[in-house]
């Protein structure tokens, strides 16, 4: 179990090239079983969630070739409709396999998925959408058994614009008979990327990014080579680190409109931000002022996946910020660790009141989820003295070479194997 040793107090200067988005690569990998021709995905991020998804594909019978940062998936010999339980527990996105495996085999078996421990995270919206497409679902002994003689297009209204449910339904509908219309669909950029990827395979999906997605079923999907979009959450994390510590950083590979909600807040905090195409340049003197309120919302609102890192920023901004987490119930576990560094945070249910303090001090803290772990690193970079961030397995799920990229910006951070 590795840990970071961080000497805080350095300003950050330099450029970061952003990796492909975890949250687009995972559904794309799941989608690769929709064709028995080769799927080549470029720019694969070296993160554990992606490795786990590749293991799942291998266990259902896909052949995977790695060439540098490309993965070539050949699922022509895929045989199994059962998603392996051990890996499902590790990775919530294994649930995307349900839609694509159903399309491929007309049946699927999966146990309830795992992932970050940030709340209930049910999959009722996924399942009710699949039922509308004609899937029969039985739950027995902790497993979900799905089967369908045929998948038939339908009108589906999501009670909530769930990212995963939207993606799963698209994956189950691409080869269904007729048209499927998903209303109140999630609008995240990753849904648009999934649509572009599927259309490059010969699917007929339109409307992604706009709330209503229309899928016309096709008979066949073919091979594809694809480079996924950049990771807006990774980009946002480095921007928040730069804003908190002060300095000047340039982020390459993410369209600014994909993190407009964060950029808006950072400007209010006192950062100067310049954007051009896929480049974002941020200047900060490290002395930020608080904004009154930040509420997480589905896209284009403030992303829940940046809530923890942004809270770390607020801990040393002048004034108070009320954070409201609207998506997940228990996404403040990191707050207790920030308090060990001197942060002043009061958490009540879905809200956290952060009163900015003059300085944080180094401490030994433990990451308990992916983004909460990143928040602890941001705080440790700002804090006086030395910090230790324990249990990097969570951070490794979603950030490739986190310490290397931060070191190149001038941070004093090293990984220790314990
Ligand atoms: C995806 C992202 C995750 C991000 C989240 C919200 C991936 C791999 N993960 O997760 O990083 O934090 O979007 O932007 O893309 N819900 C239900 N029933 C369901 C499905 C969801 O009640 O069947 C609820 C959830 O409990 C949660 C909310 O809807 O409160 C949002 O969840 P959803 O958009 O589905 O998130 P994920 O797809 O799990």
């Amino acid at each position: 179990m590795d840990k970071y040793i961080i000497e805080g107090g350095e300003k950050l200067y330099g450029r970061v090239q952003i990796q492909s988005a975890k949250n687009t690569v995972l559904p794309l990998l799941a989608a690769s079983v929709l064709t028995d021709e080769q799927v080549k995905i470029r720019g694969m991020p070296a993160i554990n969630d992606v490795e786990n998804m590749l293991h799942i594909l291998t266990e259902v019978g896909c052949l995977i070739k790695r060439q540098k940062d490309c993965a070539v998936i050949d699922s022509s010999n895929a045989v199994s409709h059962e998603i392996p339980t051990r890996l499902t527990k590790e990775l919530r996105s294994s649930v995307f396999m349900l839609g694509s495996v159903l399309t491929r085999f007309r049946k699927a078996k999966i146990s309830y998925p795992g992932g970050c421990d940030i709340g209930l995270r049910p999959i009722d919206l996924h399942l009710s959408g699949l039922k509308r497409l004609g899937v029969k679902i039985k739950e027995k002994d902790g497993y979900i058994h799905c089967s369908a003689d045929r998948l038939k297009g339908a009108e589906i209204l999501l009670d909530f614009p769930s990212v995963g449910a939207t993606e799963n339904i698209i994956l189950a509908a691409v080869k269904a008979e007729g048209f499927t219309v998903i209303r109140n669909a999630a609008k995240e950029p990753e849904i648009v990327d999934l649509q572009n990827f599927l259309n490059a395979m010969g699917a007929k999906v339109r409307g992604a990014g706009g709330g209503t997605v229309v899928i016309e079923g096709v008979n066949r999907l073919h091979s594809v080579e694809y480079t996924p979009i950049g990771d807006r959450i990774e980009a946002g994390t480095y921007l928040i680190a730069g804003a908190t510590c002060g300095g000047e950083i340039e982020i390459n590979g993410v369209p600014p409109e994909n993190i407009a909600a964060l950029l808006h807040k950072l400007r209010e905090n006192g950062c100067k931000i310049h954007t051009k195409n896929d480049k974002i340049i941020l200047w900060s003197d490290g002395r930020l002022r608080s904004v009154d309120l930040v509420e997480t919302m589905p896209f284009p609102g403030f992303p829940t996946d940046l809530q923890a890192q942004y809270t770390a920023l607020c801990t040393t901004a002048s004034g108070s910020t009320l954070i409201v987490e609207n998506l997940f119930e228990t996404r403040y576990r990191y707050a207790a660790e920030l308090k060990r560094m001197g942060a002043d945070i009061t958490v009540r249910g879905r809200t956290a009141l952060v009163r900015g303090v003059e300085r944080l001090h180094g401490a030994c803290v433990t990451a308990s989820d992916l983004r909460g772990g990143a928040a602890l690193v941001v705080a440790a970079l700002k804090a006086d003295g030395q910090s230790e961030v324990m249990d990097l397995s969570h951070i490794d799920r979603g950030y490739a070479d986190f310490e290397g990229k931060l070191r190149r910006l001038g941070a004093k951070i090293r990984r220790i194997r314990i």
Side-chain angles (χ1 to χ4, degrees), residues 309-336:
Q309 303 89 313
Y310 189 79
T311 300
L313 173 152
C314 297
T315 58
T316 54
S318 62
S320 300
T321 309
L322 187 65
I323 311 275
V324 183
E325 171 54 58
N326 288 308
L327 277 92
F328 296 109
E329 298 84 5
T330 51
R331 211 167 189 179
Y332 290 120
R333 287 174 61 188
Y334 65 88

Side-chain angles (χ1 to χ4, degrees), residues 68-145:
K68 291 191 185 148
D69 67 345
C70 289
V72 180
I73 301 117
D74 175 351
S75 63
S76 55
N77 292 316
V79 282
S80 177
H81 68 282
E82 292 188 24
I83 325 295
T85 305
R86 182 178 53 82
L87 295 164
T88 308
K89 296 271 177 236
E90 292 281 318
L91 180 67
R92 180 176 165 84
S93 304
S94 53
V95 75
F96 300 130
M97 294 296 291
L98 212 50
S100 51
V101 165
L102 262 168
T103 294
R104 177 79 181 251
F105 297 110
R106 295 285 183 268
K107 55 184 176 176
K109 180 182 166 194
I110 192 170
S111 60
Y112 269 97
C116 273
D117 185 9
I118 53 176
L120 285 172
R121 306 191 85 171
I123 55 167
D124 54 314
L125 300 171
H126 301 237
L127 299 182
S128 62
L130 295 176
K131 274 186 197 157
R132 298 276 304 146
L133 299 175
V135 178
K136 292 189 191 71
I137 296 169
K138 276 194 220 139
E139 291 175 48
K140 202 173 158 227
D141 305 330
Y143 286 93
I144 304 165
H145 299 259

Side-chain angles (χ1 to χ4, degrees), residues 3 14 23 51 60 78 137 144 152 170 174 185 201 231 243 245 249 268 282 290 304 327 348 359 368 402 407:
K3 67 177 180 183
N23 288 354
E51 292 306 317
V60 301
I137 296 169
I144 304 165
K152 202 163 175 319
I170 293 174
V174 272
M201 292 169 90
D231 195 313
C245 296
I249 64 167
E268 282 190 72
L282 173 139
S290 296
T304 175
L327 277 92
R348 282 288 174 277
R359 352 182 55 85
S368 58
F402 198 28
R407 245 192 332 260

Side-chain angles (χ1 to χ4, degrees), residues 291-292 311 314-315 319-324 332 335 339 343-348 350-356:
V291 301
D292 291 340
T311 300
C314 297
T315 58
S320 300
T321 309
L322 187 65
I323 311 275
V324 183
Y332 290 120
K339 284 166 126 174
D344 184 347
I345 308 178
T346 307
V347 175
R348 282 288 174 277
R350 287 176 182 266
T351 62
L353 178 63
V354 189
R355 296 174 206 86

